[in-house]
Amino acid sequence: GAGVSQSPSNKVTEKGKDVELRCDPISGHTALYWYRQSLGQGLEFLIYFQGNSAPDKSGLPSDRFSAERTGGSVSTLTIQRTQQEDSAVYLCASSLRDWKWSSYNEQFFGPGTRLTVL
Amino acid sequence: AQSVTQPDIHITVSEGASLELRCNYSYGATPYLFWYVQSPGQGLQLLLKYFSGDTLVQGIKGFEAEFKRSQSSFNLRKPSVHWSDAAEYFCAVGTNNNDMRFGAGTRLTVKP
């Protein structure tokens, strides 16, 4: 079956513009995660959705960042008034359920969206 | 706060040689530990994980890792490296807050 897909694969925008990044998780996966990978840095957790529960937004770096997940499937990460420091690869991952349960469910990662803010 | 350190930014080994990638973590409770590999243009793929039990875990592609609580380490090993192993490797520690903290990664180059 299809894996996690993300679009666009590359996005170049001007400082101050808004951008939307899309993630299509694996069908049937109830958990969805967004991470940011900056050059020379590890992956930074941004936000986590699990089923119909309220999302864990603790990793969002500022109020310019928001995400939603419609119908428990597709997710959109929105960055408003982009800044140059937002340039990074944004990765999405999905799993069957919360990974930290005793029976671990692997997170499957998409290929990422490379965002460049000029 | 939880953190992961991968001391080696870049490692070069010859094909057929053994490999060890270092990972140290900082976490107050029993950690959930992971190694992921990211090949060029590809998404992250889970190599192996440690939750509990046997401290030596086997993964895919011939990789293994050993959890050493006394050293707060979870080093990744492979006895004989193949050219296709050239990639970026990330160590991660799972927390109780539904997130994973990743290290900065180690880039592996394999010489013919």
Side-chain angles (χ1 to χ4, degrees), chain A residues 6-64:
Chain A
Q6 293 184 245
S7 60
S9 56
N10 281 284
K11 176 71 176 179
V12 180
T13 190
E14 294 179 349
K15 178 181 174 181
K17 300 285 189 182
D18 297 351
V19 295
E20 286 188 350
L21 312 180
R22 177 186 169 105
C23 172
D24 283 88
I26 293 173
S27 178
H29 280 193
T30 57
L32 187 147
Y33 307 77
W34 282 99
Y35 297 88
R36 178 168 68 175
Q37 183 178 18
S38 302
L39 190 63
Q41 306 292 318
L43 276 73
E44 175 188 6
F45 165 77
L46 297 178
I47 188 170
Y48 158 70
F49 295 88
Q50 169 57 26
N52 295 321
S53 303
D56 177 354
K57 304 179 182 180
S58 60
L60 294 178
S62 78
D63 58 8
R64 296 186 296 104

Side-chain angles (χ1 to χ4, degrees), chain B residues 12-57:
Chain B
T12 299
V13 299
S14 298
E15 190 168 14
S18 63
L19 171 70
E20 181 169 29
L21 302 183
R22 295 183 291 165
C23 172
N24 293 94
Y25 68 90
S26 173
Y27 185 54
T30 300
Y32 305 101
L33 295 164
F34 309 83
W35 274 99
Y36 281 84
V37 60
Q38 185 177 35
S39 299
Q42 304 294 314
L44 275 80
Q45 180 182 22
L46 179 68
L47 282 176
L48 46 78
K49 61 187 184 287
Y50 170 79
F51 271 25
S52 64
D54 193 349
T55 56
L56 182 64
V57 293

Side-chain angles (χ1 to χ4, degrees), chain A residues 92-113:
Chain A
C92 175
S94 71
S95 71
L96 276 173
R97 58 180 179 176
D98 184 353
W99 66 267
K100 70 179 179 64
W101 290 25
S102 58
S103 54
Y104 171 73
N105 288 280
E106 176 183 348
Q107 289 189 31
F108 292 84
F109 283 80
T113 293

